[in-house]
């Protein structure tokens, strides 16, 4: 299998898998069985995709990336695409492994895995598209599949409400993006990202407006404050596996799409960089402050995602504004580690939620009081949750510390007042975030279990396995952070390289 | 070189032990006790095994690449000394825990974190990469937090743990930013290289780094104005207080200042700032110790105060004196804490007003505690005496401000006073309740206490060898003894041990020594004669009140926390839940960004 | 192309999008909100046709517009399905009833 085949496979596999899983589960349901095969088909598809990705990684000429023509659409595989695909597939596999038992109590979950695969496939495609309209198409496909997944519990008011808000706000974003695309197309006469980029050495007013529309349009998905309002609802109400995907890759996919579009308008690169730095600062501060007083754990984690996006924005913004590949690579690294950590956090909370609430066929949210003393009965779920939370809080030697460190190094290396000030703010925010992560860990390790824990059911081992795998990843990357260097650096160069034509 | 891997042992062995104890699980407590003791003793042996390399440099370099540079470990006098302190006192604390923690819940978590801490502390002092120093720095903070909040059901313990975590993290940012500056200008985190050429960093940045490190050190060592977390950290099990909050982790700040002294020495105002921080901590904490009734809090304030002495010594130019006092203090304060642990274990209370008259029922504890207390007070021939004298000698020389050193000498008097008060309240006087059945320390406790008591009597004998090893292995530190002594010991053919006695004799010949002793005696007398001094003491009533309120720092701390929490609560209103408002926010965001970019474009 | 034509079309585009967003904010029925979404997208369609005309590639502009119609239909279907469920579950279509998740 050569590189070309590998990337075509990578793109095609999820879309082949999606109907297969649906059929398998649907048939099982019709026969009155528990649907079982969908999960394993999806997992097999994802592992195959991972294999394709590794083939591509080891056979492709690095730096320039690879062009693949599918029909008349050209796809460009560069560092950013690979990073996004890797993140999505890894987290997706963990979520797939996790979700089978999690959904066991649901009546109809035949659509779950096929929608999940659709979402994963569209994110992989989004990363590789080299054309503004294609970018939007993949983006929209991803959005539609997540609408259905957020509103997955049709009987739950909260789930529906979150779904509606998410849908309407995303639709507004989608319209803004389309407006921006039409403006860009009017002036550039092409939709190719590098073509647009090559066309302008300076931006006129209309293109500036288009750039701002891109920032806001994609920013809704990327949860820039104040466009983040859909996020806490959707992340908290979705099934935990989907929360993990939403927090771990979907908002990041929005960020990547925004980056791609902005780099097409790269003549104003520095301004976009500064704009993103500004959003980074606001996101960090508000995300952390809003998370500080939350009582529902999933909602708290959702707000913390807003803050974590702030770190990525800070790294990416500094990278663009001051041409710092280190900062940009740091932002990319944080994108990856955040997917691992937040994914783990949501899955671990999901395991507890399953044991304490869902397995009793209830749907109440998991509060801080509920998890008191959970470590007594659920040692592994609690331990992995603690690892994820402390990693998110930036405690070494967990992966989150190392990625934040790289962002900070980038910010300091720029040696400007603004970047250093932003990094100091980031450091302070990291400390602030411990103010809500640490108390959860303390609650987990109480001696006196809460009533919910006393009544809880056991967690199936198959749900624990992905938690352990993700924790291992977080620990290993904490001690050997340079493992991810090649991909991060490549992704950073792909972004800056497009800007340096 | 295979020898380099030896350096991983003091880190790796306890970490392996941590894993082992955790895997054994809480159903087999006996095995957990045994494993913890075995691994901690092995770690102690590994630490001691490094002593031959304290003067020869043994290094280990694992390249990581990119901005992560490399994982570097190296030995010198300072790092080996602190590794030995961490591992040996660590193993004694673990042995003590066998009795102290008998029958507790969650032993696995307890031992795992204690062992993890021992390894991290060794790593902190052995590494020569600033990045990894920060990593280990934070790891020790993590262990400290986890162990302070060990009794998670007690809200006070949880609050204390989170407070310690957040305050040390906040201060740690100083170290973090320092490391980032260093990397920005030199492209590496290598500490020795930086110490050799501090001018590779521009002067303004160097002074930012210097003060950043001071903040980090102050937070870690619970110095002014971060001192408030240490007393609250006393909710931890007592062996943990002895190990982490007296003998090892809190010393990391002093270690940091001492380690980077050659680089920051010339930064304008830095030495003065260090001296003032040390002096304020030494003085204010001594006052607070004098009015506190909680046995462990008295010891905690005393730790802050003694660390203040060390910080002051670094600022005054006495790197050796500070490290020597660090050695003495680790030993006698660990002894005091563990002995206090035995008392607390026997009585089940920490309030000294509930104690008293324990001397007859706990003879062994009484003896060792008094020994530690005498060393703390600075009574001759115990190790605390010699090291404290060294610090004050340094303060009197080198053109250091006299008013600061006078306050330091006053603090030694206060130290003597609160020490006597503490011993008197615990072991003498009438028993408050019938504590006659109070049992003396158990076998494991005694096993841990005896070496520490012996150390309190003898570690000062190491003065010569310790000085020699530091002098040989720290090329950038201009280690100074008093010029007269330097002459006395500098003669050819003087062995390291002879040097101890020569310096000792010189100390005994110094007139200032007797001045200090006089102040100590006055301090003791002031406590004993407090009834006669009642009118004088009454005039200090305000000071007492202020000291009990920890001079308002607690209030400041509270205000900041409340303000942040309120801000968080108030901001929650922005999540209205109304779809219309959410859409409006999008529009508003778009407009603001559009205006800003248009302004940016024009500007 | 007549300059005035372009401006007129642009005004219509902005008008449609503006009315759509305004509808989203003030409407008291989810169905009307979905109509608002549709209005916005219709404006965008016009924008694409205009863009195709200005850049001299009418065909591309129109084919993009067609693709958008397809995607938008899918979104509308999903939105309507949700609206039906909201009506069943909440007993109303008023978006102001959808405020159980807040703070």
């Amino acid at each position: 299998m050569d590189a070309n085949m590998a990337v075509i496979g990578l793109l095609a596999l999820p879309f082949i898998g999606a109907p297969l899983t649906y059929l398998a589960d649907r048939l099982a349901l019709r026969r009155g069985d528990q649907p079982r095969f969908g999960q394993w088909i999806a997992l097999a598809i994802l592992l195959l995709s991972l294999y394709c990705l590794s083939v591509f990684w080891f056979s492709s000429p690095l730096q320039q990336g690879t062009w693949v023509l599918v029909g008349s659409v050209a796809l460009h595989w560069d560092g950013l695409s690979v990073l996004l695909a890797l993140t999505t597939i890894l987290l997706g596999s963990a979520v797939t492994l996790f979700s089978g038992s999690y959904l066991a109590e649901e009546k109809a979950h035949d659509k779950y895995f096929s929608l999940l695969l659709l979402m994963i496939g569209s994110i992989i495609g989004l990363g590789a598209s080299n054309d503004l309209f294609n970018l939007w198409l993949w983006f929209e496909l991803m959005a539609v599949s997540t609408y259905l997944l957020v509103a997955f519990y049709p009987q739950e008011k909260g789930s529906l409400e979150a779904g509606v808000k998410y849908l309407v706000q995303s639709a507004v974003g989608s319209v803004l993006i389309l407006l921006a695309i039409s403006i860009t197309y009017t002036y550039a006469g092409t939709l190719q990202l590098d073509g647009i980029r090559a066309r302008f050495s300076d931006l006129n007013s209309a293109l500036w407006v288009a750039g701002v529309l891109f920032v806001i349009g994609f920013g809704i998905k990327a949860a820039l404050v104040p466009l983040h309002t859909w996020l806490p609802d959707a992340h908290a109400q979705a099934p935990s596996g989907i929360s993990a995907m939403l927090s771990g890759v979907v908002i990041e996919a929005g960020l990547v799409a925004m980056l791609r579009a902005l780099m097409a308008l790269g003549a104003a690169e520095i301004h976009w960089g500064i704009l993103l730095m500004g959003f980074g600062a606001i996101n960090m501060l508000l995300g952390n402050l809003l998370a500080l007083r939350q009582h529902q754990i999933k909602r708290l984690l959702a707000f913390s995602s807003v803050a974590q996006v702030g770190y990525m924005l800070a790294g990416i913004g500094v990278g663009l504004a001051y041409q710092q590949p280190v900062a940009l690579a740091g932002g990319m690294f944080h994108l990856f580690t955040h997917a691992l950590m937040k994914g783990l956090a949501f899955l671990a909370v999901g395991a507890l939620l399953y044991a304490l609430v869902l397995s009793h066929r209830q749907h109440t949210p998991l509060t801080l009081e509920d998890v008191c003393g959970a470590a007594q009965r659920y040692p592994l779920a609690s331990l992995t949750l603690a690892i994820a939370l402390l990693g998110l809080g930036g405690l070494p030697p967990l992966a989150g510390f190392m990625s934040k460190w790289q962002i900070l190094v980038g910010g300091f290396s720029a040696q400007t007042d603004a970047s250093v000030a932003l990094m100091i703010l980031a450091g302070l925010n990291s400390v602030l975030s411990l103010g809500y992560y640490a108390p959860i860990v303390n609650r987990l390790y109480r001696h006196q279990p809460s009533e919910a824990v006393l009544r809880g059911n056991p967690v199936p081992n198959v749900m624990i396995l992905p938690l352990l795998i993700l924790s291992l990843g977080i620990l290993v990357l904490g001690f050997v952070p340079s493992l991810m260097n090649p991909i991060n650096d490549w992704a950073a160069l792909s972004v800056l390289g497009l800007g340096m034509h | 070189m295979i020898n380099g891997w030896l350096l991983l042992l003091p880190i790796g062995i306890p970490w392996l032990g941590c894993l082992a104890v955790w895997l054994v699980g809480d159903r087999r407590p006996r095995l957990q006790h045994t494993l913890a003791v075995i691994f901690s003793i092995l770690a102690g042996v590994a630490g001691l095994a490094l002593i031959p390399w304290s003067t020869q440099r043994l290094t280990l370099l694992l390249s990581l690449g990119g901005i992560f540079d490399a994982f570097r470990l190296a030995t010198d006098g300072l790092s080996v000394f602190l590794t030995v302190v961490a591992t040996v006192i660590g193993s004694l604390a673990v042995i003590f825990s066998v009795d102290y923690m008998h029958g507790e819940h969650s032993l696995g978590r307890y031992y795992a974190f204690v062992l993890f801490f021992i390894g991290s502390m060794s790593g902190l002092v052995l590494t020569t990469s600033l990045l990894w120093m920060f990593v280990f720095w934070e790891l020790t903070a993590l262990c400290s937090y986890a162990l302070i909040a060990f009794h998670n059901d007690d809200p006070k313990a949880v609050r204390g743990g989170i407070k310690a975590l957040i305050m040390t993290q906040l201060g740690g940012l100083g170290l973090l930013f320092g490391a980032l500056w260093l990397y920005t200008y030199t492209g590496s985190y290598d500490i020795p290289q930086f110490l050799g050429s501090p001018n590779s960093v521009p002067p303004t940045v160097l002074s930012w780094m210097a003060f950043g490190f001071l903040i980090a050190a102050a937070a870690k060592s619970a110095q002014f104005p971060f001192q408030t977390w240490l007393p609250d950290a006393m909710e931890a099990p007592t062996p943990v207080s002895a190990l982490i909050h007296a003998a090892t982790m809190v010393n990391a700040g002093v270690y940091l200042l001492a380690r980077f002294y050659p680089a920051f020495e010339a930064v304008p105002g830095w030495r003065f700032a260090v001296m003032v921080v040390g002096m304020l901590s030494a003085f204010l904490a001594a006052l607070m110790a004098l009015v506190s009734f909680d046995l462990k809090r008295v010891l905690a304030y005393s730790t802050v105060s003694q660390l203040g002495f060390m910080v002051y010594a670094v600022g005054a130019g006495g790197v050796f004196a500070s490290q020597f006092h660090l050695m003495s203090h680790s030993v006698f304060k660990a002894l005091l804490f563990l002995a206090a642990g035995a008392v607390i274990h026997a009585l089940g209370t920490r309030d000294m007003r509930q104690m008293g008259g324990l001397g007859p029922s706990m003879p062994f504890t009484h003896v060792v505690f008094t020994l530690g207390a005498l060393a703390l007070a600075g009574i001759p021939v115990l190790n605390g005496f010699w090291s404290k004298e060294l610090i004050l000698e340094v303060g009197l020389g080198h053109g250091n401000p006299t008013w600061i050193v006078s306050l330091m000498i006053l603090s030694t008097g206060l130290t003597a006073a609160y020490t006597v008060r503490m011993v008197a309240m615990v072991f003498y006087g009438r028993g408050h309740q019938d504590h006659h059945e109070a049992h003396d320390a158990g076998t494991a406790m005694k096993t841990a206490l005896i070496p520490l008591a012996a150390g309190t009597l003898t570690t000062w004998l190491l003065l010569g060898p310790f000085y020699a090893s530091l002098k040989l292995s720290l090329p950038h530190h201009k280690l100074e003894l008093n010029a007269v002594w330097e002459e006395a010991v500098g003669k050819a053919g003087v062995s390291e041990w002879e040097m101890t006695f020569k310096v000792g004799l010189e100390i005994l010949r110094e007139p200032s020594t007797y001045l200090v002793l006089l102040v100590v005696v006055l301090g003791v007398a002031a406590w004993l004669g407090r009834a006669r001094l009642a009118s004088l003491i009454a005039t200090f009533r305000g000071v007492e009140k202020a000291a009990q309120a920890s001079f308002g720092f607690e209030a400041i701390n509270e205000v900041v926390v409340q303000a942040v929490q309120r801000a968080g609560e108030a901001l929650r209103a922005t999540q209205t839940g109304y779809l219309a408002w959410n859409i409006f926010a999008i529009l508003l965001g778009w407009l603001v960004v559009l205006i800003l970019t248009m302004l940016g474009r024009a500007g | 192309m007549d300059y005035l034509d372009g401006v007129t079309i642009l005004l219509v585009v902005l008008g449609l999008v503006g009315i759509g967003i305004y509808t989203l904010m003030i409407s008291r029925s989810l169905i009307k909100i979905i109509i608002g979404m549709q209005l916005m997208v219709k404006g965008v369609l016009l924008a694409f046709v205009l863009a195709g005309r200005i850049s001299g590639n009418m065909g591309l502009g129109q084919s993009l517009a067609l693709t958008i119609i397809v995607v938008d239909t899918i979104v509308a279907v999903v939105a309507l399905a949700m609206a039906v469920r909201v009506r069943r579950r909440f007993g109303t279509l008023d978006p102001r009833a959808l405020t159980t998740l807040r703070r």
Side-chain angles (χ1 to χ4, degrees):
Chain A
M1 188 155 70
D2 65 344
N4 259 11
M5 277 300 293
V7 288
I8 290 176
L10 188 54
L11 202 58
L13 275 169
F15 294 100
I16 298 169
L20 283 183
T21 53
Y22 178 69
L23 277 179
D25 280 353
R26 185 79 210 148
L27 289 178
L29 275 180
R30 278 199 135 177
R31 264 187 274 114
D33 294 349
Q34 256 313 330
R36 202 168 287 119
F37 296 112
Q39 180 187 11
W40 303 113
I41 294 174
L43 192 61
I45 293 278
L46 288 174
L47 292 180
L48 266 178
S49 308
L50 198 59
Y51 171 70
C52 287
L53 191 64
S54 70
V55 167
F56 173 68
W57 172 256
F58 288 113
S59 65
S60 75
L62 294 186
Q63 307 306 335
Q64 308 95 309
T66 303
W67 291 88
V68 184
L69 217 59
V70 181
S72 62
V73 177
L75 292 171
H76 184 211
W77 291 85
D78 61 4
L80 200 51
S81 342
V82 170
L83 178 76
L84 191 61
L86 178 70
T87 315
T88 313
I89 296 175
L90 284 182
L91 188 57
S93 314
V95 167
T96 308
L97 197 54
F98 176 86
S99 293
S101 319
Y102 186 83
L103 296 170
E105 308 299 321
E106 298 306 318
K107 269 176 262 144
H109 73 263
D110 46 345
K111 298 170 211 73
Y112 183 89
F113 290 106
S114 59
L115 284 172
L116 185 63
L117 279 180
L118 269 187
M119 180 212 284
I120 291 171
S122 51
I123 292 173
I124 294 173
L126 181 147
S129 57
N130 183 50
D131 164 325
L132 274 181
F133 194 73
N134 248 305
L135 194 65
W136 173 79
L137 214 52
W138 290 118
F139 187 74
E140 201 62 15
L141 185 56
M142 171 185 89
V144 172
S145 49
T146 49
Y147 298 153
L148 293 168
L149 285 170
V150 166
F152 188 73
Y153 301 122
Q155 305 311 319
E156 289 308 308
K157 279 188 170 180
S159 174
L160 263 180
E161 180 184 337
V164 168
K165 285 180 187 168
Y166 176 40
L167 188 145
V168 175
Q169 295 188 42
S170 295
V172 174
S174 174
V175 165
L176 298 184
I177 295 164
L178 283 173
L179 274 180
I181 293 175
S182 67
I183 295 173
T184 316
Y185 179 52
T186 309
Y187 287 90
T190 173
L191 288 166
Q192 300 293 315
L193 294 177
D194 46 353
I196 301 169
R197 167 70 210 172
R199 193 88 162 57
F200 303 111
S201 56
D202 191 21
L203 300 186
N204 62 24
S205 305
L207 287 170
W208 276 90
V209 174
V212 172
L213 284 171
F214 276 134
V215 171
I216 300 296
F218 286 118
I220 291 176
K221 198 67 106 238
L224 306 186
V225 173
L227 322 170
H228 68 285
T229 39
W230 63 272
L231 184 144
D233 301 348
H235 288 209
Q237 296 302 321
S240 294
I242 298 309
S243 311
M245 289 303 280
L246 285 176
S247 261
V249 288
V250 171
I251 50 180
E252 284 76 1
L255 203 57
V256 168
M258 183 203 295
L259 211 51
R260 289 271 198 224
L262 285 183
M263 291 325 292
L265 302 174
E269 197 171 35
I270 293 166
H271 291 87
W272 305 140
I274 291 173
L275 189 59
L276 293 188
M277 280 168 68
F279 272 117
I282 301 174
N283 263 49
M284 279 187 261
L285 199 60
L286 260 84
N288 280 329
L289 284 175
L290 281 167
L292 202 56
R293 304 282 296 171
Q294 298 297 327
H295 303 298
Q296 299 175 15
I297 296 189
K298 283 182 77 173
R299 207 167 163 80
L300 184 150
L301 286 175
F303 277 114
S304 103
S305 289
V306 174
Q308 298 286 335
V309 168
Y311 296 107
M312 293 173 220
L313 285 171
I316 292 170
V318 169
L320 292 185
Y322 308 108
Q323 297 291 312
Q324 286 287 327
V326 171
L328 203 50
M332 297 300 160
F333 191 19
H334 197 62
L335 189 155
F336 184 75
T337 57
H338 174 251
L340 294 188
M341 296 183 301
K342 193 52 74 59
L344 175 59
F346 268 120
L347 292 188
V349 169
L352 292 178
L353 182 66
Y354 173 79
L356 305 184
V357 180
L358 293 180
S359 57
H360 295 298
R361 293 177 185 270
Q362 290 171 336
H363 269 287
T364 50
L366 196 66
T367 62
L368 288 175
E369 276 69 32
D370 288 340
V371 298
C372 288
Q376 305 279 319
R377 289 200 55 198
Y378 310 104
L380 286 173
S382 303
L383 180 73
T384 50
L385 180 56
I387 288 177
L389 293 176
L390 296 176
L392 285 168
L395 274 189
L398 300 169
F401 167 76
M402 289 299 176
S403 50
K404 278 185 192 169
W405 181 277
Q406 188 163 4
I407 292 172
L408 293 176
V409 167
F412 271 71
S413 303
Q415 296 190 18
T416 61
D417 291 346
S419 69
V420 172
L422 181 63
M423 293 308 131
I424 292 177
L425 182 71
L428 287 171
N429 263 295
S430 216
V431 177
L432 173 58
S433 69
L434 281 173
Y436 55 87
Y437 291 130
I440 306 181
V441 179
N442 285 112
R443 281 171 191 275
L444 287 175
Y445 283 93
R446 285 194 184 174
H447 293 307
Q448 188 60 51
S450 68
E451 272 178 40
V453 171
L454 286 174
R455 286 188 299 119
N457 289 322
V459 179
N461 285 334
V462 68
M463 280 167 93
I464 296 293
L465 185 64
L467 304 185
L468 292 179
I469 295 171
L470 288 174
S471 316
L472 193 68
I474 291 167
L475 276 172
V476 168
L477 275 183
F479 278 103
V480 200
S482 38
L483 281 180
M484 282 294 291
N485 269 357
I487 297 182
N488 299 331
D489 292 347
W490 189 21
L493 284 181
S494 312
V495 175
L496 286 178
L498 186 62
M500 282 189 281
H501 269 297
Chain B
M1 193 171 71
I2 189 73
N3 275 341
W5 296 95
L6 246 164
L7 285 173
L8 280 181
L9 288 183
I11 306 170
I13 291 176
W15 282 10
L16 270 183
C18 155
L19 206 62
V21 173
W22 180 69
L23 285 176
V24 162
D26 288 341
R27 278 192 213 116
R28 280 174 288 178
R30 280 187 67 89
L31 188 57
Q32 282 179 322
H33 284 301
T34 321
L35 275 178
V37 168
I38 289 173
F39 274 100
S40 64
I41 288 178
L42 280 179
V45 171
L48 289 170
L50 287 181
I51 286 181
W53 281 282
S54 60
T55 49
Q56 292 161 281
R57 211 172 165 72
L58 185 62
T59 58
L60 177 72
L61 188 147
L62 301 172
S63 190
L64 288 174
I67 61 126
F68 301 105
D69 197 19
F71 180 69
R72 301 160 195 272
L73 295 177
T75 57
D76 55 27
L78 200 52
S79 61
V80 168
F81 151 61
L82 281 160
T83 311
V84 170
V85 169
T87 53
V88 170
I89 297 190
S91 57
L92 293 177
V94 169
I95 293 170
F96 187 88
S97 305
V98 173
D99 274 354
Y100 190 86
M101 298 299 286
H102 188 78
E104 284 272 354
H105 288 285
S106 311
L107 268 183
R109 186 153 54 87
Y110 174 78
Y111 279 128
F113 272 110
V114 170
L115 288 167
F116 192 59
F117 170 79
I118 295 173
S120 311
M121 190 66 207
S122 309
L124 168 61
V125 292
L126 283 173
T127 183
T128 56
S129 154
L130 204 44
L131 164 59
W132 286 93
M133 190 183 209
F134 184 75
V135 168
F136 286 117
W137 182 275
E138 296 289 299
L139 279 183
T140 56
L142 172 69
C143 298
S144 153
Y145 147 70
L147 287 167
I148 295 168
F150 178 69
H151 297 295
N152 276 304
D153 297 78
D154 180 0
K156 264 170 78 186
V158 171
R159 217 177 305 131
I162 292 176
K163 187 175 178 185
L165 181 69
I166 291 196
M167 282 187 112
T168 47
Q169 282 256 322
L170 206 57
L173 290 179
L175 181 59
L176 171 75
F177 296 138
L180 294 170
W181 280 125
L182 180 65
Y183 183 81
T184 302
Y185 286 98
T186 64
S188 109
Y189 303 107
D190 194 12
I191 297 172
Q193 187 194 326
F194 171 57
L195 294 184
S197 55
N199 294 328
S200 51
V201 176
T204 40
V205 175
L206 192 66
S207 66
W208 278 107
M209 282 177 71
F211 284 99
F213 279 37
L214 176 59
I215 291 174
K220 195 74 161 179
S221 291
Q223 296 294 289
F224 174 86
F226 296 100
Q227 77 279 41
T228 53
W229 71 262
L230 191 61
D232 288 356
M234 291 301 127
E235 301 299 329
T238 308
V240 170
S241 308
L243 175 63
I244 300 185
H245 305 120
T248 51
M249 187 190 82
V250 287
N251 292 337
V254 180
Y255 164 75
L256 185 76
L257 295 177
R259 173 64 83 193
F260 286 92
Y261 180 75
F264 300 146
E265 188 182 9
V267 170
W270 186 73
R271 280 185 47 198
F272 182 72
V274 174
M275 278 193 273
V276 169
V277 167
M279 179 274 288
L280 282 175
S281 315
F283 184 66
L284 295 181
L287 280 179
M288 289 187 251
L290 203 50
V291 296
S292 180
F293 287 107
D294 180 325
L295 176 55
K296 283 184 79 179
R297 282 180 94 91
V298 171
L299 288 174
Y301 285 127
S302 139
T303 305
V304 173
S305 170
Q306 294 300 306
L307 287 165
F309 275 86
M310 297 175 217
V311 170
Y312 167 77
V314 175
V319 171
F320 173 70
S322 80
Q323 296 307 303
F324 192 54
H325 191 52
L326 193 159
M327 178 198 279
S328 311
H329 176 254
S330 312
V331 173
F332 70 68
K333 192 50 74 63
L335 174 67
L336 277 172
F337 261 114
L338 291 182
V343 172
I344 293 163
H345 192 247
L347 300 189
T349 176
R350 303 195 319 224
D351 193 335
M352 292 198 292
R353 285 167 295 193
Q354 313 265 318
M355 300 176 183
L358 287 173
S361 52
M362 303 183 75
F364 177 82
T365 313
H366 178 201
V367 170
V368 292
F369 190 90
T370 313
L371 202 61
L374 291 178
L376 172 60
I379 304 298
V381 303
L382 296 171
N383 59 5
F385 163 73
W386 301 102
S387 50
K388 212 179 276 181
E389 290 304 329
L390 267 184
I391 288 178
L392 296 172
E393 286 301 335
V394 172
L396 287 167
H398 292 71
N400 290 314
T402 328
W403 64 275
I404 300 187
V405 84
S406 338
L407 276 170
M408 295 303 292
I409 293 176
L410 184 58
S411 306
T412 58
L414 289 172
T415 309
Y418 73 67
T419 310
V420 176
R421 169 176 177 265
M422 174 171 69
V423 174
M425 285 186 81
V426 175
F427 290 105
Y428 295 92
R430 265 184 314 115
H432 188 272
Q433 293 163 354
D434 44 345
H435 289 318
H436 301 295
E437 73 278 15
H439 57 89
D440 206 351
T443 328
M445 287 186 178
K446 281 183 182 158
T447 319
L449 287 169
I450 289 170
L452 288 171
T456 306
L457 282 167
T458 54
T459 53
W460 60 277
L461 292 169
L462 295 171
L463 190 152
F466 185 41
Y467 180 70
S469 89
L470 288 194
K471 184 117 190 158
L472 269 174
S473 62
L474 300 176
H476 307 299
H477 290 66
K478 289 184 277 307
L479 288 173
E480 58 327 290
L481 284 175
N482 185 319
V484 186
W485 308 345
E486 196 69 57
E487 205 178 314
V489 302
K491 288 177 199 140
V494 177
S495 88
E496 294 163 355
W497 297 99
E498 277 178 73
M499 196 174 139
T500 304
F501 291 101
K502 298 226 167 199
V503 173
L505 275 179
E506 287 296 333
I507 288 180
L508 291 182
R509 264 183 229 147
E510 287 285 337
S512 55
T513 304
Y514 297 98
L515 173 68
V516 174
L517 276 179
L518 182 68
V519 175
V520 167
V521 171
L522 278 179
V524 174
W527 169 253
L528 295 177
R530 62 191 179 286
R532 289 206 197 123
L533 295 175
S535 58
L536 187 64
I537 291 171
T539 57
F540 286 109
R541 215 33 94 185
V543 178
E544 184 183 339
K545 280 235 177 70
Q548 267 162 349
S550 73
F551 297 102
F553 288 106
E554 206 59 62
I556 295 172
N557 185 27
E558 197 59 24
V559 165
V560 172
V561 170
Q562 284 304 324
V564 173
Q565 296 273 3
R566 286 229 186 84
E569 189 65 45
L571 276 170
R572 288 180 68 189
T574 59
Q575 190 74 20
T576 55
Y578 283 96
L579 184 59
W581 281 110
N582 294 359
I583 309 266
F584 180 71
I586 293 174
L587 265 190
L588 196 68
W590 178 71
L591 257 175
V592 169
V593 171
L594 190 67
I595 291 168
L596 283 181
T597 38
M598 285 305 159
L599 288 178
R601 190 187 164 214
Chain C
M1 184 189 75
D2 193 0
Y3 176 73
L4 203 61
D5 267 6
V7 173
T8 319
I9 296 175
L10 189 64
L11 284 178
V12 174
V13 169
L14 292 179
L16 280 172
V17 174
I19 292 170
I21 290 192
Y22 186 65
T23 315
L24 294 191
M25 281 193 287
I26 59 134
S27 172
R28 294 189 183 171
S29 158
L30 274 183
I31 301 296
K32 285 184 189 162
I33 283 180
I34 293 167
I35 293 172
M37 282 158 53
Q38 290 295 307
L39 275 178
M40 290 194 298
V41 175
K42 296 306 169 290
V44 168
L45 293 180
L46 219 56
F48 268 89
V49 174
L50 178 65
R53 195 170 148 192
I54 292 174
S55 62
N57 193 344
M58 284 290 281
L60 184 59
Q62 285 173 14
S63 66
L64 295 183
L66 279 175
T67 321
I68 295 172
I69 291 175
V70 173
V71 174
D72 179 54
T73 311
I74 299 173
V75 174
V77 167
V78 173
L80 284 169
M82 276 192 197
V84 170
R85 281 200 175 140
V86 167
R87 179 71 176 75
R88 278 193 198 142
R89 199 74 192 80
F90 287 79
T92 170
L93 280 170
D94 193 337
R96 289 173 305 175
L98 300 179
T99 48
T100 56
L101 307 172
R102 57 200 300 185
R103 290 169 75 75

